[in-house]
Amino acid sequence: PLIRLYNTGEKQKILQVEDYRGMKLKGKLDNINVEEGFISDIKTTANIETFEPGGYATQLTMYGLMAEMIYQKPFRLFLLVGDKYSDYARSEVFEMSETTRMMALDKIHNALDLIKDRMEYNTWAIPQDRRAIFGTALYRHMPNYEIKEPIQF
């Protein structure tokens, strides 16, 4: 399944949504198969046995959200994970559950609302506080003291 989930579809596809909750969004997907309705994101890990797929829920949910808005159809979301210290001989496929997706979507909504509020009033917390507020997936795409649109995931 790992090969099929990556070898079909369009690689490095950039999606952009002009208005979602008042914000522009942009993301670069590893792979999207519009016809079959799935997105697969590639990750590597030092140890497949200790890999935590939940750490990528926000990023993958954002990709799914943008794709569903653009293509007007549902998408299944997959993480394709390879163990780099086994020369990728060990790999796993994780499909995101609807429960995880809904929790990540709630986090995205809260973060976007907070970003809009901070942009409007120019009241940013120090960078360490922003990581706690937005989570790593949002924070790593934010410059230290300003936001530039579109926000990229």
Side-chain angles (χ1 to χ4, degrees), residues 68-112:
E68 289 171 359
M69 291 178 70
I70 291 167
Y71 298 107
Q72 297 294 299
K73 65 182 284 183
F75 282 81
R76 294 171 64 193
L77 306 175
F78 295 93
L79 279 177
L80 313 180
V81 183
D83 187 321
K84 59 187 169 187
Y85 292 112
S86 70
D87 288 329
Y88 305 102
R90 297 182 336 170
S91 62
E92 292 287 339
V93 176
F94 298 93
E95 182 172 5
M96 185 180 294
S97 72
E98 192 61 27
T99 301
T100 300
R101 195 172 181 163
M102 290 299 104
M103 291 186 329
L105 188 59
D106 188 49
K107 187 174 185 176
I108 290 166
H109 289 165
N110 290 337
L112 291 176

Side-chain angles (χ1 to χ4, degrees), residues 98-147:
E98 192 61 27
T99 301
T100 300
R101 195 172 181 163
M102 290 299 104
M103 291 186 329
L105 188 59
D106 188 49
K107 187 174 185 176
I108 290 166
H109 289 165
N110 290 337
L112 291 176
D113 290 345
L114 189 55
I115 290 168
K116 284 190 323 188
D117 180 64
R118 297 296 193 242
M119 288 175 68
E120 181 177 347
Y121 297 105
N122 196 23
T123 55
W124 287 101
I126 60 173
Q128 296 86 336
D129 290 341
R130 294 193 330 190
R131 180 184 300 270
I133 292 167
F134 300 126
T136 302
L138 288 172
Y139 175 83
R140 70 172 178 233
H141 298 288
M142 296 170 60
N144 278 339
Y145 290 100
E146 59 183 278
I147 291 292

